[in-house]
Amino acid sequence: MGTFRELHQKGNPFILANAWDAGSAKMLKALGAKAIATSSAGHAFTLGRPDGLGVTRDEALAHGADLVAATGLPVQGDFENGWGDDPETVAETVRLAAEAGLAGICIEDTILPTDDAYDRELAIERIAAGVAAARALPEDFVLTARADGIMTGAYDIEEGIARLQGFEAVGADCLYAPVPKTMDDLARICASVAAPVNVLVAGPTYTAETLARYAQMGAARISLGSSLARATHKVIHDAAQDMFGTGSFDLLGKSISGSKVDAFLK
């Protein structure tokens, strides 16, 4: 299977499956996942919190360690902005993630809890600090740098590409700009850098495409974000509306058998 780093091949993307608990992680492994990622939103849902209120760093570290223990696969942490604005906090988060057994984390350039972005210079300094911490570790560690401003509206694609190129210049191992407006914009991003690019499959534009199409564009990794967790919650939503609305249990009759789930979890 190779290391987590070796899975990242431009033009031959693997699916980084975002899980939200040990059970979903084990099931994804049984169904073919080569690596697992946490989902900040999916994890928050399990804690009864909406996405946006978030989880603490200690909670995210413990959650990541649980998924490592459950699967034995490389696990990447969806670690938002690293739980701090300054570069040293990002570096500390990298070190703590490695101690928890994670194979890598992604760090975004958003000043949470707002949608504003750090100034480009500070955003690059933060990634540089994370890279330095990663390189000082005894084990290999993949640091993914995210330019989220295209998605949040904080900046345009030109600024996003400039940031990704800046992140690459300071040593980021993987680059990630979630859901550009068009597939042409995504193609521009993939062509603008030499490092592996992660594509988020979320929303109608990106879920309508295929793995082969993303390979043609030069992507190295496909992540799900909270898409799979939200698909699961849609089943809860639809079944509950039927049960408590019309009294129908039809959707429950279409569920997977308990014995099949058990088989995936052994």
Side-chain angles (χ1 to χ4, degrees):
M1 181 177 64
T3 67
F4 187 49
R5 184 179 299 278
E6 290 169 344
L7 291 173
H8 295 72
Q9 302 171 18
K10 295 197 76 167
N12 183 29
F14 73 101
I15 297 173
L16 180 61
N18 296 77
W20 52 93
D21 59 14
S24 60
K26 291 182 72 172
M27 192 166 181
L28 287 164
K29 177 185 178 181
L31 288 164
K34 297 178 180 178
I36 298 293
T38 67
S39 161
S40 57
H43 184 201
F45 297 162
T46 69
L47 299 172
R49 302 174 194 165
D51 185 24
L53 290 181
V55 298
T56 68
R57 183 166 68 179
D58 285 347
E59 287 172 331
L61 289 165
H63 175 59
D66 286 345
L67 301 194
V68 173
T71 65
L73 291 177
V75 175
Q76 174 184 278
D78 175 10
F79 275 14
E80 300 185 317
N81 71 343
W83 290 279
D85 299 328
D86 59 286
E88 178 48 41
T89 299
V90 174
E92 181 182 50
T93 297
V94 167
R95 291 189 289 268
L96 291 171
E99 290 175 8
L102 297 177
I105 60 173
C106 59
I107 295 290
E108 61 192 62
D109 62 351
T110 305
I111 308 172
L112 296 175
T114 75
D115 284 337
D116 296 332
Y118 297 107
D119 290 341
R120 190 199 304 175
E121 182 178 353
L122 176 56
I124 293 172
E125 287 177 3
R126 285 162 38 83
I127 297 303
V131 169
R135 298 298 176 265
L137 295 169
E139 303 292 336
D140 189 41
F141 191 89
V142 175
L143 182 65
T144 297
R146 288 176 50 157
D148 277 34
I150 299 172
M151 176 178 67
T152 64
Y155 48 74
D156 61 16
I157 186 172
E158 303 298 339
E159 175 63 19
I161 287 174
R163 286 174 179 244
L164 292 175
Q165 291 173 336
F167 298 156
E168 181 177 33
V170 296
D173 301 301
C174 183
L175 303 169
Y176 181 11
V179 290
K181 295 187 186 309
T182 67
M183 292 296 289
D184 287 343
D185 285 348
L186 177 61
R188 282 188 62 195
I189 288 169
C190 290
S192 71
V193 292
V197 172
N198 181 94
V199 174
L200 172 64
V201 176
T205 297
Y206 290 94
T207 56
E209 296 293 342
T210 64
L211 188 63
R213 172 74 169 128
Y214 291 124
Q216 290 172 354
M217 300 180 78
R221 191 175 83 190
I222 309 299
S223 64
L224 313 179
S226 63
S227 294
L228 189 57
R230 288 183 287 106
T232 302
H233 281 75
K234 184 180 187 305
V235 174
I236 298 172
H237 169 273
D238 292 351
Q241 280 203 322
D242 286 349
M243 289 187 296
F244 302 126
T246 65
S248 169
F249 300 96
D250 182 61
L251 274 176
L252 300 184
K254 299 174 182 177
S255 63
I256 189 172
S257 72
S259 60
K260 186 169 285 189
V261 174
D262 290 344
F264 289 130
L265 301 181
K266 291 179 179 177

